[in-house]
Amino acid sequence: EKNPLRPSTIGAGYVRNTEFVTKDDMEHIKARQNVQKNSLRLNAKIDYKPAANLTLTLGGYIDYYNQHDYVHEYALFNPVNNPKRTGNTWNVFGRLTQKFGSATAKEEEKSSSNIKNAFYTLQVGYSHQYVKVEDDDHGDNYFDYGYIGKFAQTKGSSYSLRSGSQGLAYYQDGFTDELLTYERKDVNPTGANWTEQLYQLSGGTQDANGVWSAPGEIETPFDIQFGQGLLNGDRPQNIYSLWYNTGRQYGGTSLEDNSQIGIRTSFSADIKNHAIQLGFEYEQRAYRGFASSGLGGTAISLWGLMRQLTNFHLSQLDTANPIYNSQLSGTFKYYDLNRKYDGASQKQFDKSLREKLGKPVNGTEWLDIDNMDPSTFSLDMFSAEDLLNSGNSLVTYYGYDYTGKKLSGTPSLDDFFNKKDDKGNFMRQIGAYQPIYVAGFIQDKFDFRDLKFNVGLRVDRYDGNHMVLKDKYLLHEAKTAAEVSNFGSHPENIGDDYVVYVNDINNPTAIVGYRDGDKWYNKDGTEQPDPSAFAAAAGGKIAPYLVDPNNKELSTKAFKDYEPQINFMPRIAFSFPISDVANFFAHYDVLTQRPSEGLSGRMDPTDYLFLENIATAVVINNPDLKPVRTTDYELGFSQTLNERKNSAITLSAFYRELRNNIQVISVNYAYPISYKTYGNIDFGTVKGFTAAYDLRRTGNVQLTASYTLQFADGTGSSATDGFNLINAGLPNLRTTIPLSYDQRHTIVTNIDYRFGSGKEYRGPVWKSKKSEKTIQLFSNMGANLVFRAGSGTPYTKQANVTGDVLVGVSQRATLKGSINGANLPWQYRFDLRVNKNLELSWGKGEGESKKVANLDIYMQVLNLLNTQNVLAVYHATGNADDDGYLSDATNQSLINSANSPTSFIDLYSIKVNNPDNYSIPRRIRLGLQLNF
């Protein structure tokens, strides 16, 4: 940290000292550094009974934590910069429960009424969650991130001989950088060390004010970066693309501010032999977030953006008004030129900065951003357009404005596209994501002869409560077949609502095709596999027949309200006894899962605003996703195995069908550009068989054991499985493969050995010879042992070796065999819990009632045998600690070219043996629990 640089031994320049560190310079420690956590949890609940059959409950909880996140790439050289995460979650609720009928259970049982055990519950609740991630020291001081110190650039002038308004003379043609001085600031001390040492090694001197200069060596910002020093907003280069270097500042801040209001009510009653339940739920969530980072980088990148925005309008010289330079003039005259003011290209940040510095907004003075203190700047000096940066955004936000201030209202999509502030800048406000969920259900449990039925229906209504594209292929309105008649009649099979495509986007003269949803047709009405011919006929780019081809500005005309999704979910379960010791059961169940905010379900209008700039680089959100649907079937049989009926076996077969799963898709031939997003195109099945044995407590022993055989196949295990395929230009292929959670064999056994007390005690005793008192040594003591074993889940083998732990190095893997055609090793684990329960009593005096408390003393050992289960392997080798890179012949020349091959090998071997590839080691917990 103190001396990050050394002179290069193979030429000019400097190299990083961290690239010479070997294992001999290290020590092994058993704990991660700078990852401490403090947390506080409080719960409260109070019941009030204003009447015998009426209960009012008020309650809530709060959960607060303050911790440092673990960043694996920081762990070796830079744990001091692990980010701080703080958060709190709190909830309050009120519940009203009223029971109808008799006050006691016995009276209710004796009642002759056909309706019994009737009651209703009404609950209203509100919850709030707040999470913030930031640097310990900087917090919301965004311009402290990456700040190294003050740099003062001395400028000179360059001239060229040419004819001008004053005849043949030397006219100024630009400015030169002549000297760059540096004044260290300790906002980020380990980062400042890089630049200060560069000045030292370059023969620089420091004046009485602490300002460094190195004439002839460091004259430009390029000299700093070339010499491995840091400018404001820079971070040191990675160590061999393996580890983040010392002084690497965490990138910025992010926060989530989510809330939820919910209303739930239910009614339950026994009507003759039917147990009826009715219910209703309403829930509205509000997701808000802000981060000083985006596609374009982090808060640190603000320094680079400020350099771009400042003086942007002064790039030209005022050639019309030359200024005679008498000092340089001789045989030829010299003329200086001022910078030329171009108000049309001046950025809002530049205007705000000049105002803050008390300078004319239309002045031509060159401003040196790096010679200013971070306190000079604030986010509100930028416009939203400045920070969104043509799609390379330095901020992301929703429910907040672009400066991180929480919005009080709910701006519309029209506001985003059109609303401006008093300075004439687009405000680009984005409202909170506020989906609405409503559900109702009815359930009936009843007996029909020997059959026991549980029949129900749940109806869900999910509303994304935001705008979505009317047509995923169009960001601008296009004409349909019913609206186009100037090119003759359409083929008979072309519907009136089919989109028309033409040969020229601006001046169409002929129809080349049609589209209905995802289906394409040529001009004759014949279905086509893809519209590449349409694009070729239009000069290489798809050309829909636009309503207004001259207006390329986005508007709400291309969007519509999200269409609420209504899902019917029947549930049927029944069982019937075959005999007094055997039972047959089955169930059919439908479940849905709404799109989550984190899985691209939120509308982000910046995706569409800058689509042409970002479409090739990212996968954009799809706010029009539908809920995921699972259909579950099960058929089973259970039977007791002995006359005491304390031992039973259960056999069951299950089948689950997964539909509308989310996967990355490519929307090819969209206008104005093809892009990648998410769609409900994946499907899968899970089928299997389970055998379970249950031994109720017999003597001191209780046992449960189960074995599951499972087959899980589908078109994708996660929402991004198809990214590499579509990124390579392949279509959205749907081929079933083993899913990543396809665990073929699973075994779970739970053995509980426990001693009772008193007459129920069966265990060793100790009898005192003096008092002849018998002591039950292990009364109310026991041990619980859980054994879990599972076969390995699938992974995909690759034929070639790639540096899997290298950061920022692009390498293409070659498939070996089939996708998910290999499996991880089996996993085994024992968990043990031993506890002793002590009964504490007091208040035995005359006239006092006996009071009792229970003290439970326990020891829990997780992963009892300290088994090192493999959770992940490298796909080329199948090993958890070696990806094959260091031993691969093709990499030897690259390894040997490192500043220190020994260091590279050591640092690589440490990185490749990632602890996250293994299960957590043995953990022992000792605890006390008091109940009174």
Side-chain angles (χ1 to χ4, degrees), residues 252-266:
T253 69
S254 64
L255 65 87
E256 297 177 20
D257 187 341
N258 306 325
S259 61
Q260 174 183 310
I261 184 170
I263 301 173
R264 291 175 172 81
T265 183
S266 63

Side-chain angles (χ1 to χ4, degrees), residues 541-818:
K541 185 175 181 180
I542 200 75
Y545 196 165
L546 297 181
V547 173
D548 185 1
N550 296 319
N551 183 8
K552 301 300 173 62
E553 296 295 324
L554 283 183
S555 73
T556 55
K557 293 180 179 180
F559 297 84
K560 64 177 182 179
D561 285 331
Y562 180 90
E563 182 179 341
Q565 300 296 303
I566 299 177
N567 299 285
F568 293 86
M569 295 177 285
R571 301 176 179 182
I572 303 173
F574 68 90
S575 64
F576 65 90
I578 301 173
S579 66
D580 60 345
V581 295
N583 187 55
F584 175 82
F585 60 91
H587 83 252
Y588 164 79
D589 200 353
V590 177
L591 302 170
T592 62
Q593 180 181 358
R594 61 195 116 158
S596 68
E597 185 273 340
L599 194 59
S600 70
R602 177 178 60 83
M603 165 64 168
D604 187 350
T606 62
D607 286 343
Y608 305 107
L609 185 66
F610 303 113
L611 185 63
E612 292 187 77
N613 297 340
I614 66 174
T616 58
V618 300
V619 181
I620 70 170
N621 286 7
N622 180 7
D624 202 20
L625 290 172
K626 308 300 186 291
V628 175
R629 185 179 181 91
T630 300
T631 305
D632 187 26
Y633 305 86
E634 185 178 21
L635 184 66
F637 169 79
S638 63
Q639 179 172 339
T640 57
L641 300 179
N642 55 19
E643 295 181 357
R644 296 175 59 185
K645 297 184 179 180
N646 65 344
S647 177
I649 188 172
T650 301
L651 306 175
S652 65
F654 58 87
Y655 177 85
R656 299 186 190 97
E657 186 178 80
L658 315 173
R659 295 286 178 183
N660 287 342
N661 283 4
I662 299 170
Q663 185 57 257
V664 173
I665 63 172
S666 181
V667 186
N668 295 317
Y669 299 101
Y671 181 84
I673 191 172
S674 299
Y675 62 94
K676 295 181 280 290
T677 185
Y678 297 91
N680 296 99
I681 64 171
D682 266 351
F683 57 88
T685 60
V686 181
K687 47 190 176 292
F689 171 81
T690 297
Y693 173 74
D694 183 15
L695 175 65
R696 298 179 183 177
R697 191 165 300 281
T698 302
N700 295 342
V701 179
Q702 179 180 342
L703 169 69
T704 60
S706 67
Y707 165 77
T708 299
L709 174 68
Q710 176 185 268
F711 299 86
D713 300 288
T715 54
S717 303
S718 73
T720 57
D721 276 5
F723 179 80
N724 289 334
L725 292 175
I726 64 171
N727 212 35
L730 297 175
N732 299 312
L733 302 175
R734 301 294 92 209
T735 304
T736 58
I737 57 175
L739 298 175
S740 60
Y741 51 84
D742 177 29
Q743 189 168 52
R744 185 73 69 245
H745 308 283
T746 305
I747 301 170
V748 179
T749 302
N750 187 319
I751 304 174
D752 191 84
Y753 191 91
R754 196 158 302 281
F755 297 97
S757 62
K759 295 180 180 180
E760 301 297 324
Y761 180 77
R762 296 178 180 84
V765 297
W766 180 76
K767 189 172 182 180
S768 173
K769 294 181 179 180
K770 294 183 178 180
S771 62
E772 297 186 355
K773 184 178 180 180
T774 300
I775 299 176
Q776 298 174 346
L777 295 176
F778 300 111
S779 64
N780 292 324
M781 185 174 178
N784 181 270
L785 181 66
V786 179
F787 168 70
R788 296 179 179 88
S791 57
T793 51
Y795 73 96
T796 302
K797 292 280 287 184
Q798 68 184 54
N800 61 318
V801 172
T802 53
D804 293 344
V805 298
L806 296 174
V807 178
V809 178
S810 179
Q811 300 172 92
R812 184 180 291 268
T814 303
L815 179 67
K816 182 179 181 180
S818 59

Side-chain angles (χ1 to χ4, degrees), residues 125-258:
Y126 178 83
S127 62
H128 184 268
Q129 179 189 46
Y130 183 88
V131 179
K132 189 168 188 178
V133 181
E134 60 191 352
D135 178 83
D136 277 287
D137 300 319
H138 303 336
D140 289 339
N141 298 319
Y142 304 112
F143 301 91
D144 282 353
Y145 288 84
Y147 181 63
I148 302 300
K150 287 188 175 183
F151 295 85
Q153 180 70 67
T154 302
K155 291 283 188 180
S157 301
S158 61
Y159 301 86
S160 59
L161 182 64
R162 65 179 187 272
S163 294
S165 59
Q166 305 299 318
L168 183 64
Y170 280 95
Y171 294 90
Q172 183 179 355
D173 58 10
F175 295 90
T176 59
D177 295 334
E178 295 187 343
L179 180 66
L180 184 62
T181 62
Y182 169 62
E183 182 182 353
R184 175 193 175 101
K185 299 294 182 181
D186 281 332
V187 175
N188 298 298
T190 54
N193 288 342
W194 289 79
T195 304
E196 186 171 54
Q197 192 185 11
L198 174 64
Y199 273 87
Q200 293 172 345
L201 294 174
S202 300
T205 59
Q206 189 177 29
D207 65 18
N209 296 317
V211 178
W212 285 92
S213 61
E217 294 292 330
I218 301 179
E219 298 177 343
T220 69
F222 174 78
D223 295 331
I224 296 280
Q225 294 175 323
F226 181 78
Q228 308 293 339
L230 304 181
L231 296 172
N232 291 326
D234 283 350
R235 294 197 280 193
Q237 294 183 21
N238 299 341
I239 307 164
Y240 296 127
S241 298
L242 291 169
W243 300 96
Y244 289 153
N245 224 317
T246 66
R248 180 186 172 93
Q249 187 68 40
Y250 186 72
T253 69
S254 64
L255 65 87
E256 297 177 20
D257 187 341
N258 306 325

